[in-house]
């Protein structure tokens, strides 16, 4: 038997994961450009799709009605299930899941049980809720993410022995999600405000690695010894993140792993992906950074 202990329900999107027929695979092999066209098409479709359901407004509300109808259909509109599995918060406020077969598991299946009672503790025999103790052989502990902890997964110290985790307590931002003031020659991949809720993180990593490599190349060419973002540029970037977040569904009052303990969007990129590519396409060392040159270079 399977018992699912649920604290908060999730919105579920159709997975849309078709099996490619042999003729399509053959065409991809013969004409590789078709794969590129398909990739670009999917990229733009996902961007448009995310703009609809992540942005506050009527389109998002209508899309939520559509998704709710699909979820109710998967549950045969059984009130005993829909009351527990249909979220009360707006679509996009928390992480959306992709699945066509999770919800039907609880429909007319004697071996699968949905438990929404508050858990009091884990016992030697299983899990004790406010109503009963459920005896179990195995527990899969899957409760979410500690994003702040993962971004500062190990102690990192900058100027004046400043600890990165302490820095983020008061200034939860990195310039372009890559560099941090007072932490010279330190570069992030998937730093604050560069995680995605709708598309591939590989895209963000590629933009960031290209930006970092260009920066290092320029440092080598110009005999730059240290580099760190200016405070004013970082504050300006942080202000943009807050401003762009305001019209997103994840800026509402519900609790999610997108926000830090103060309710600030510390995680998600709040704009489209082409915007991030444009902002990271070419580093501007003179305008955006504090620079320290090699002493030998200054003495020439």
């Amino acid at each position: 038997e399977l018992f699912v202990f649920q604290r908060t329900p999730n919105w579920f999107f159709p997975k849309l994961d078709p099996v490619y027929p042999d003729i399509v695979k053959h065409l991809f092999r013969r004409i590789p450009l078709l794969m590129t066209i398909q990739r670009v098409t999917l990229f733009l479709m996902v961007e448009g799709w995310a703009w609809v359901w992540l942005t506050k407004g009527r389109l998002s509300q209508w899309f939520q009605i559509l998704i709710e109808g699909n979820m109710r259909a998967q549950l045969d509109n059984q009130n005993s299930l829909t009351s527990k599995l249909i979220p009360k918060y707006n679509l996009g406020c928390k992480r959306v899941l992709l699945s066509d077969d999770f919800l039907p598991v609880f429909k007319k299946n004697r071996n699968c049980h949905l438990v929404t009672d508050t858990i009091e503790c884990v016992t030697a025999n299983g899990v004790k809720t406010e109503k009963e103790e459920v005896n179990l052989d195995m527990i899969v502990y899957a409760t979410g993410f500690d994003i702040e902890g993962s971004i500062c997964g190990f102690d990192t110290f900058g100027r004046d022995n400043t600890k990165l985790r302490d820095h983020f307590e008061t200034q939860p931002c990195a310039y372009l999600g890559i560099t941090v003031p007072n932490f010279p020659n330190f570069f992030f991949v998937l730093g604050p405000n560069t995680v995605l809720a709708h598309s591939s993180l590989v895209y963000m990593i590629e933009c960031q690695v290209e930006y970092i490599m260009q920066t290092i190349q320029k440092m080598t060419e110009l005999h730059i010894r240290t580099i760190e973002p200016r405070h004013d540029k970082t504050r300006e970037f942080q202000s943009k993140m807050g401003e762009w977040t305001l019209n997103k569904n994840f800026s509402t009052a519900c609790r999610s792993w997108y926000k830090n303990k103060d309710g600030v969007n510390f995680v998600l990129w709040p704009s489209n992906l082409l915007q991030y590519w444009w902002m990271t396409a070419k580093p501007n060392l003179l305008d955006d950074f504090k620079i320290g040159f090699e002493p030998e270079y200054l003495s020439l």
Side-chain angles (χ1 to χ4, degrees):
E1 289 186 274
L2 172 69
F3 293 84
V4 176
F5 296 84
Q6 175 186 275
R7 181 180 61 187
T8 308
N10 291 95
W11 288 105
F12 283 88
F13 283 1
K15 194 167 185 181
L16 304 177
D17 190 18
V19 176
Y20 289 96
D22 290 338
I23 182 64
V24 174
K25 295 177 185 177
H26 176 72
L27 287 172
F28 282 163
R29 280 194 296 267
R30 294 296 299 272
I31 314 173
L33 178 62
L34 290 178
M35 287 190 289
T36 302
I37 293 172
Q38 184 214 33
R39 174 61 185 149
V40 172
T41 301
L42 288 174
F43 175 85
L44 295 175
M45 284 176 58
V46 169
E47 281 294 282
W49 178 36
W51 178 79
V52 169
W53 65 268
L54 278 176
T55 306
K56 293 177 182 177
R58 289 190 179 275
L59 277 178
S60 176
Q61 294 169 1
W62 292 339
F63 193 74
Q64 178 174 318
I65 293 172
L66 180 66
I67 294 300
E68 181 175 337
N70 180 63
M71 291 174 64
R72 288 184 179 277
Q74 290 186 57
L75 297 168
D76 288 345
N77 214 18
Q78 296 179 26
N79 187 61
S80 60
L81 292 174
T82 58
S83 61
K84 296 178 179 178
L85 289 166
I86 302 294
K88 303 296 190 293
Y89 55 85
N90 290 339
L91 179 67
C93 182
K94 294 177 181 284
R95 190 183 194 193
V96 170
L97 304 182
L98 305 178
S99 177
D100 297 313
D101 51 19
F102 176 79
L103 296 176
V105 161
F106 302 104
K107 183 179 64 177
K108 299 177 182 177
N109 191 332
R110 293 188 219 170
N111 298 321
C112 297
H113 312 278
L114 179 66
V115 182
T116 58
D117 302 324
T118 302
I119 294 176
E120 292 186 348
C121 63
V122 175
T123 68
N125 298 317
V127 173
K128 183 180 179 182
T129 71
E130 59 186 1
K131 290 186 177 179
E132 62 179 342
E133 181 173 355
V134 181
N135 292 329
L136 303 168
D137 297 315
M138 179 187 296
I139 297 174
V140 178
Y141 191 65
T143 59
F145 305 90
D146 178 8
I147 292 297
E148 288 185 85
S150 67
I151 287 179
C152 304
F154 52 88
D155 288 346
T156 305
F157 296 90
R159 295 191 189 280
D160 303 320
N161 211 33
T162 303
K163 196 173 181 179
L164 186 60
R165 184 183 292 273
D166 295 338
H167 174 84
F168 283 148
E169 285 286 328
T170 56
Q171 301 177 59
C173 182
Y175 182 62
L176 299 178
I178 300 174
T179 56
V180 184
N182 294 325
F183 288 80
N185 298 351
F186 177 77
F187 300 97
F188 258 127
V189 172
L190 296 183
N193 290 115
T194 62
V195 176
L196 302 177
H198 70 286
S199 193
S200 172
L201 286 177
V202 174
Y203 175 91
M204 302 297 278
I205 293 171
E206 289 175 341
C207 289
Q208 291 166 348
V209 169
E210 181 65 25
Y211 181 92
I212 293 167
M213 295 304 294
Q214 286 188 56
T215 301
I216 293 174
Q217 180 66 33
K218 287 188 176 183
M219 290 176 68
T220 302
E221 294 172 355
L222 300 174
H223 301 275
I224 294 173
R225 185 173 187 175
T226 63
I227 190 171
E228 60 185 278
R230 288 168 39 179
H231 285 276
D232 60 330
K233 292 291 184 177
T234 306
R235 285 193 295 267
E236 180 182 322
F237 178 77
Q238 184 177 11
S239 178
K240 281 183 181 178
M241 295 300 96
E243 180 182 339
W244 292 351
T245 295
L246 290 177
N247 73 332
K248 301 299 181 184
N249 284 330
F250 50 83
S251 69
T252 54
C254 77
R255 179 184 176 190
S256 75
W257 60 269
Y258 303 155
K259 303 173 184 177
N260 66 5
K261 59 180 177 55
D262 299 315
V264 175
N265 172 27
F266 181 68
V267 176
L268 287 191
W269 174 248
S271 185
N272 63 76
L273 299 192
L274 293 177
Q275 175 76 47
Y276 191 74
W277 168 79
W278 179 256
M279 294 175 72
T280 57
K282 188 176 181 180
N284 189 334
L285 271 61
L286 294 179
D287 286 347
D288 297 343
F289 292 91
K290 291 168 60 178
I291 295 172
F293 288 94
E294 295 281 359
E296 296 83 358
Y297 179 71
L298 295 176
S299 64
L300 291 178

